[in-house]
Amino acid sequence: MSDVIAVVGAGIVGLAVAWHLQQDGHEVRLVERGPVAEGASYGNAGAFAFSDVLPLASPGILRKAPRWLLDPLGPLSIPPAYLPVITPWLLRFWRASQPDRFAASLAAQCELMRLASRAMDAMVAGAGLSGRVRSDGNLQLYESEAELRTSLPGWAAREREGIAFEHVRGERLAALQPGLAPRFVAGTFTPHWQTVDDPYRFAMALFDVVMARGASVERGDVGQIEQGLSGVRVRMSDGRFIDADAAVIAAGAWSRPLAAVLGDAIPLETERGYNTTLPTDAFDLRRQLTFGGHGFVVTPLSTGIRVGGAVELGGLKRPPNFARSRAMLDKAAAFLPGLLTEGGRQWMGFRPSLPDTLPVIGPARGSSRVFYAFGHGHSGLTQSAATGRLIADLIAGRPPAIALEPFRPDRF
Ligand SMILES: Cc1cc2nc3c(=O)[nH]c(=O)nc-3n(C[C@H](O)[C@H](O)[C@H](O)COP(=O)(O)OP(=O)(O)OC[C@H]3O[C@@H](n4cnc5c(N)ncnc54)[C@H](O)[C@@H]3O)c2cc1C
């Protein structure tokens, strides 16, 4: 049956949800308070990181975090004034990092990533976006054999999931990426990793397809979603409202207050990330490179070479500290001698993050006609199509493509 579905938030997750709802014949009304796809989906690193199945909340990160926190511009930072606010989230993160919980999150993440790969292939083909996807893999780099050895348990876990990879050295390493600093003695190549031409262009191309298939956009800041006479009423802060048969909250890092109104206290925080996009000729970059020990990646896009990553647990209100973008660029210049670092554009984005590294996908406590689709952290682009597929299953009343238990909104 064709229903009207309101989707709050036109980032990559809301757009992928819209596309999947249209596949089921629904009429979609996107509700967005800002420009389309200019939240986290605008300037991310553009990876379909299907093999990135290891949850961030892991025993390994607890060993690395203290060293990282000592460097104020390092891969992980917490502004001191924000520490009291983020402490409950950190405690949950610590609990999720314990071996038993980590194993459960890893299993859930693997299931979701398998679906993510299938659903993205189908959406990219169905929406005519194949020309925007590069399939040349990712190269993770190590500064010592000891660093590679430390990563081996993680690769063994991926191997058990059937994920293809190859540890490389010498000529093979140099062929995958010429011009690396000699400090990088080894790497791991994951061939099935993909990147998009540019994440904003990719999202806008999907938006154009969704609009051409009959979606509409309502500009407005959603304040709450209420039970309507026969469905739901999406109410904006200026008093206007939209009535719909069902609603989906895909408001990224800003979803928490909307869920709170529906009775769900979801510990959503933001991991702020930074980057600089250099002109396309800044380096002869063959594929996306990951400098895991330093928490950043370098990505070839049609719009430039993007250098960035890092995590700043600093909330939604604090102004950006672009010294972080600069610090990663300086490191990249040392790691890729010959990188031209002039003429870059800096950006900061709000990853929507839950402490167990899994998104929230499921119905609201306060209404069986409102569904959550947020909290994808570092993997929102990668998992957008899978989330769209799962939300469409829920709205249709079909058995979901994968078990949704690990992603339940009430798991906290
Ligand atoms: C530096 C960096 C690098 C990253 N790299 C990758 C990567 O390589 N691969 C990957 O998969 N992921 C990556 N990510 C993560 C990814 O960008 C996010 O997970 C993803 O963009 C989240 O998408 P979203 O649609 O949920 O949120 P957003 O894109 O933030 O969209 C949310 C939208 O909701 C709107 N909104 C919010 N509140 C309201 C309201 N009350 N009323 C109306 N509208 C509202 C906002 O205006 C916004 O447009 C990266 C993130 C960062 C910061």
Side-chain angles (χ1 to χ4, degrees), residues 74-86:
L76 172 64
S77 67
I78 307 177
Y82 202 68
L83 192 56
V85 183
I86 194 86

Side-chain angles (χ1 to χ4, degrees), residues 160-171:
R160 286 193 290 278
E161 292 301 323
I163 291 168
F165 60 86
E166 179 194 357
H167 298 309
V168 293
R169 294 177 181 78
E171 282 178 15

Side-chain angles (χ1 to χ4, degrees), residues 39 272-275 312 315 318-322 325 346-350:
R272 297 149 56 113
Y274 290 85
N275 57 38
E312 182 185 49
R318 177 177 302 272
N321 174 5
F322 285 116
S325 298
Q346 294 175 324
W347 178 79
M348 188 267 280
F350 298 98

Side-chain angles (χ1 to χ4, degrees), residues 67-288:
R67 178 168 47 87
W68 280 353
L69 282 167
L70 285 177
D71 175 359
L73 294 179
L76 172 64
S77 67
I78 307 177
Y82 202 68
L83 192 56
V85 183
I86 194 86
T87 296
W89 188 94
L90 288 172
L91 284 172
R92 289 179 191 275
F93 182 88
W94 175 78
R95 266 189 253 130
S97 307
Q98 300 309 302
D100 56 331
R101 300 221 188 164
F102 169 74
S105 303
L106 173 63
Q109 194 70 278
C110 288
E111 275 291 292
L112 185 55
M113 285 298 196
R114 267 194 290 271
L115 176 63
S117 174
R118 292 198 305 275
M120 186 60 81
D121 278 353
M123 187 175 81
V124 161
L129 304 179
S130 310
R132 298 187 174 274
V133 180
R134 289 177 65 135
S135 300
D136 43 17
N138 171 283
L139 182 62
Q140 163 108 23
L141 292 154
Y142 312 100
E143 285 166 273
S144 65
E145 290 293 336
E147 190 185 353
L148 169 59
R149 269 198 305 281
T150 310
S151 76
L152 291 179
W155 290 110
R158 292 180 181 96
E159 193 164 22
R160 286 193 290 278
E161 292 301 323
I163 291 168
F165 60 86
E166 179 194 357
H167 298 309
V168 293
R169 294 177 181 78
E171 282 178 15
R172 175 79 174 129
L173 176 62
L176 285 166
Q177 181 56 62
L180 288 168
R183 65 202 281 173
F184 294 100
V185 298
T188 305
F189 177 51
T190 37
H192 297 139
W193 186 289
Q194 296 173 311
T195 49
V196 294
D197 61 338
D198 173 278
Y200 176 64
R201 288 189 176 178
F202 181 82
M204 289 309 286
L206 182 58
F207 173 67
D208 289 345
V209 171
V210 164
M211 293 301 283
R213 298 209 300 176
S216 60
V217 187
E218 190 73 44
R219 302 285 169 177
D221 174 42
V222 174
Q224 64 183 71
I225 300 178
E226 305 155 4
Q227 200 66 41
L229 289 179
S230 62
V232 295
R233 176 160 286 186
V234 177
R235 194 175 282 283
M236 284 167 259
S237 37
D238 60 7
R240 288 176 302 137
F241 60 82
I242 294 171
D243 286 330
D245 296 292
V248 181
I249 298 180
W254 300 272
S255 301
R256 184 177 181 152
L258 296 173
V261 174
L262 291 153
D264 290 296
I266 298 181
L268 181 72
E269 271 290 343
T270 181
E271 294 178 67
R272 297 149 56 113
Y274 290 85
N275 57 38
T276 306
T277 306
L278 300 168
T280 36
D281 59 359
F283 195 76
D284 177 18
L285 189 62
R286 302 293 168 89
R287 51 184 42 77
Q288 189 181 54

Side-chain angles (χ1 to χ4, degrees), residues 8-14 31-35 37-41 43-47 220-222 250-254 258 271 273-275 288 309 347 349-352 373 376-383:
V8 181
I12 192 63
V13 173
V31 195
E32 170 57 61
R33 67 180 174 197
E38 292 203 13
S41 304
N44 62 53
D221 174 42
V222 174
W254 300 272
L258 296 173
E271 294 178 67
Y274 290 85
N275 57 38
Q288 189 181 54
W347 178 79
F350 298 98
R351 299 183 190 93
H376 299 78
H378 295 238
S379 308
L381 172 62
T382 308
Q383 297 177 341

